[in-house]
Structure formats: structure tokens, C-alpha cells
Amino acid sequence: MSSFWHWYIIVLTLGNIAACYWLIRWTAKPRPGEASATETTGHVWDNDLSEYNQPMPRWWLWLFYITIVFGLVYLVLYPGLGRFDGVLNWSQYSAYQQEVKQMHERTASLYESYAAKPVPMLANDPEAMDTGRRLFANNCSVCHGSDGRGAKGFPNLADASWQYGGEPETLKQTITNGRNGVMPALGASLGQSKLEAVAAYVYSLNGRNAPQELVDRGKDVFMTQCVACHGADAKGNPQIGALNLTDDTWRYGGSLETIKETILNGRNGQMPAQKELLTPEQIHVLAAYVYQLSGQAGQRSASSE
Ligand code: HEC
Ligand code: HEC
């Protein structure tokens, strides 16, 4: 704040208070010769209703004085006068910091008890899952959807198909350090004819029909160009996040057109690392939440019954 505005605010604020004080004094004093107990303002309503011209009652005046004193005391204690911080040194920022600190202290013991439980066990703890749901809504749902079912380009976390894996440790790795799946743009090196063929092959891997001649040629292309990452069975490789191309769940889309687009231009899914944003305990709870979302917690308890 420049010193002009600093003084502008001080002069205006104090000037207003002084003006209020003066106004009250001025209206409170009966002016000589003017007011007496029987004098009226001269207005008459409904034939016989008239108004006395008397100063305001004392208690009413005192309310005004108290308000002024309150205002001045407030301005001494709290920030209000330009750059002056107030003698209590209170600020919105420090108040917020204080609240955050208190919140952390209150939740620390809770998170400690969560951290002590293994992920599959935590996934069956309804209270921990309430916390997980809130964390997910605040940190993950923008991309994965509030129900975790994802969208085009963003994985569905509520099914059993995994890009990197759904084991507790893998989930924690993914959330902590992020992931970056790189599908190279192969269109230029393949050329149109091979591109058509290999796209038809991938299309046919999901129980759909494509011209046999194309599929046969496409398989050859796949075995040289794609096998290193997606594997000979095209079921993918969780180490590098190469997607399973046979399970009819699609990250970017399974139409022939979209498959061609993927091969032509490549894809580059980015899951941001959370380690700077969340504590290890929060990540632990989130791993359990995703574990539970994907139905693994239910399976486990069902099989142990
Ligand atoms: C260098 C490793 C690599 C090679 C080579 C590779 N891919 Fe991929 N592919 C990936 C990765 C990683 C992803 C996931 C990309 C992401 O996470 O955004 C992927 C994704 C895909 C997808 C998207 C699947 C979906 O669910 O939408 C298709 C289709 C695909 N690849 C087909 C192919 C074909 C066909 C070839 C060979 C012409 C090929 N890939 C070669 C690594 C590779
Ligand atoms: C900015 C968008 C974004 C946010 C925010 C985000 N994610 Fe992701 N997430 C992705 C993308 C994109 C991928 C796929 C990465 C790839 O293709 O390599 C992914 C992948 C994942 C995977 C791997 C799924 C698998 O099949 O292996 C998990 C688990 C996951 N995210 C959990 C979370 C959690 C938990 C949060 C909240 C703390 C979160 N994500 C926040 C975009 C996001």
C-alpha cells in the first residue's frame, strides 16, 4: 500500500468517527430558547397526533458513544488504519495458519492410526474411507471423476483393469511419484498402409471383425513395432504402463478411427505426483480408498467369509 492510501484511509476513518461524535453532540444539546417540554415540531397527523421536539433520551445517546469508543478500541487492537497492524498483531493470514495448525494436530493422531493398518484392512474401515472419499474429492476427482470412473484420457479407477497395477504398494507408488505413460507417435515411420493394417489388428483383438487380409498384415506389423511394449499377447506391460489392448476397456477410445489416431500421433498420459501436496499418511488412506473403489476390498472380505 502506498503511503498516500495509508494516510487517505486513516484520515477518512478517523474523520468519520469525529464527525459522528460532533453530530451526536450537536443534536443532543437543546438549543437555547428552542426546546421545552411542551414544544412540538409543528406537524400534526390524524387531526390530533403531534410530535414533541425533545433531545434524544440519554440511554440512546450512550449507545452512540459506546459505539464510538468500541470503534476506536477496535482500531487500536486490530488492523484497520492503513498499514497499521494493530497492537494485537492479528491478521487473516496468521489466523488461518493457526487454524491449519490446530487442524493438523487434531487429525495427526487419526492419521497415525490409519497409517498403522495395512491397505486392505484400511479399505474395510468405514471411517477411514469417509476420510478417503473427502481426500479423493479434493485432490483426484477433477481428473478421475467424483466416482473414480474416469473419462476419456483419464483412467477408471473403479474397475479391475490396471495400467500400472492395483496392489497396495503400486497404488502408493503411482500416487506418490506420479506416472507418465508414453505411447510414441508411430504414424510417420509406419506409413499409411501399415497404419491401417495394425489398427485393424488391434481392433480385431477385442472380438470384433475386420477384413482378414488387413488383420494378418497388421499382426506382422504388431510383432515388429509394438511387441516390445505391449507384449506378444498385446496384454500390455505394467512396468511402463503400456495398456492392455485386448480387454475392451479403452483409455482413449476403441473405435477404428481413435485407434488410428493413437498410433499416428501417440499419447502421453500424465498423472501428477502428489508427494509435495499430500502427506505419506494421506497417500496411504487414498491408496486404500482406490483399492476399495476397484472392488478389491469387497472381494477379499467375500473370499474370507
Ligand atoms: C515405447 C512403448 C510403446 C510402443 C512401441 C507402442 N506403444 Fe502403444 N502405448 C504405450 C503406452 C505407454 C500407452 C499408454 C499411453 C498413456 O498412458 O497415455 C500406449 C497406448 C496405446 C493405445 C491406447 C489404448 C487405449 O486404451 O486407448 C493403443 C491403441 C496403442 N498403444 C497401440 C499401439 C500400437 C498398435 C503400437 C505399434 C504400432 C504401439 N502401441 C506401440 C506404449 C507403446
Ligand atoms: C491432472 C489430472 C490427474 C489428477 C489430479 C490425478 N490423476 Fe491419477 N491419473 C491421471 C492420468 C492421466 C493417469 C494415467 C497416467 C498414464 O497414462 O500414464 C492417472 C493414473 C492414475 C492411477 C493408475 C491407474 C492404473 O490403472 O494403474 C492411479 C491409481 C491414480 N491415477 C490415482 C490418483 C489419485 C488417488 C489421485 C488424487 C490424489 C489422482 N490420481 C489425481 C490424471 C490425474
Side-chain angles (χ1 to χ4, degrees):
M1 201 187 306
S2 75
S3 73
F4 171 77
W5 293 112
H6 171 67
W7 286 109
Y8 179 82
I9 290 170
I10 291 180
V11 168
L12 214 65
T13 310
L14 294 181
N16 259 300
I17 294 177
C20 284
Y21 178 74
W22 174 81
L23 194 70
I24 295 165
R25 299 287 306 198
W26 183 67
T27 49
K29 261 193 225 131
R31 257 140 283 167
E34 236 183 38
S36 71
T38 52
E39 193 195 349
T40 67
T41 54
H43 301 142
V44 179
W45 294 270
D46 293 344
N47 300 325
D48 58 352
L49 263 182
S50 53
E51 190 184 8
Y52 285 122
N53 185 10
Q54 284 184 336
M56 288 187 282
R58 295 245 136 224
W59 64 269
W60 183 268
L61 276 177
W62 276 109
L63 279 186
F64 279 118
Y65 288 135
I66 289 169
T67 313
I68 288 176
V69 170
F70 175 88
L72 290 173
V73 169
Y74 181 95
L75 287 172
V76 169
L77 295 180
Y78 291 99
L81 289 178
R83 276 189 306 243
F84 176 57
D85 283 334
V87 294
L88 289 184
N89 228 348
W90 183 94
S91 75
Q92 275 179 335
Y93 185 69
S94 67
Y96 171 75
Q97 293 280 312
Q98 187 65 25
E99 274 175 36
V100 168
K101 198 162 149 256
Q102 280 171 357
M103 219 262 296
H104 276 307
E105 276 161 14
R106 253 187 292 132
T107 52
S109 64
L110 198 63
Y111 273 115
E112 243 168 62
S113 72
Y114 292 158
K117 286 192 188 177
V119 162
M121 204 169 149
L122 200 60
N124 283 315
D125 175 338
E127 199 192 321
M129 289 304 92
D130 270 352
T131 307
R133 187 173 307 112
R134 274 194 296 276
L135 284 171
F136 193 86
N138 288 336
N139 299 285
C140 324
S141 60
V142 269
C143 294
H144 292 287
S146 54
D147 56 0
R149 296 194 170 278
K152 187 174 178 212
F154 300 102
N156 182 347
L157 304 177
D159 64 6
S161 118
W162 296 102
Q163 184 174 11
Y164 299 95
E167 307 77 35
E169 273 318 304
T170 315
L171 290 173
K172 280 198 198 176
Q173 273 286 328
T174 298
I175 303 169
T176 307
N177 300 317
R179 298 285 188 184
N180 183 7
V182 180
M183 159 77 202
L186 296 170
S189 66
L190 286 177
Q192 190 62 27
S193 157
K194 283 184 177 171
L195 174 70
E196 296 277 348
V198 77
Y201 174 67
V202 170
Y203 184 83
S204 77
L205 287 174
N206 297 274
R208 297 178 296 190
N209 286 327
Q212 196 56 45
E213 182 269 330
L214 270 184
V215 171
D216 290 342
R217 261 199 310 126
K219 184 168 183 181
D220 290 343
V221 178
F222 192 88
M223 289 308 165
T224 56
Q225 302 286 330
C226 321
V227 71
C229 295
H230 289 282
D233 55 3
K235 288 194 190 303
N237 177 356
Q239 297 298 318
I240 55 165
L243 287 162
N244 183 343
L245 305 177
T246 66
D247 59 358
D248 207 21
T249 32
W250 299 97
R251 170 71 50 78
Y252 299 99
S255 74
L256 196 53
E257 273 316 301
T258 313
I259 293 173
K260 275 194 229 166
E261 197 184 303
T262 297
I263 304 167
L264 183 66
N265 301 319
R267 301 284 187 186
N268 189 0
Q270 290 192 16
M271 156 77 201
Q274 304 292 311
K275 58 172 177 259
E276 308 290 336
L277 307 167
L278 299 170
T279 64
E281 292 80 14
Q282 287 175 316
I283 290 174
H284 185 73
V285 173
L286 275 167
Y289 183 71
V290 173
Y291 189 85
Q292 175 264 146
L293 260 189
S294 60
Q296 301 189 79
Q299 268 172 21
R300 195 164 278 247
S301 65
S303 63
S304 64
E305 271 165 15

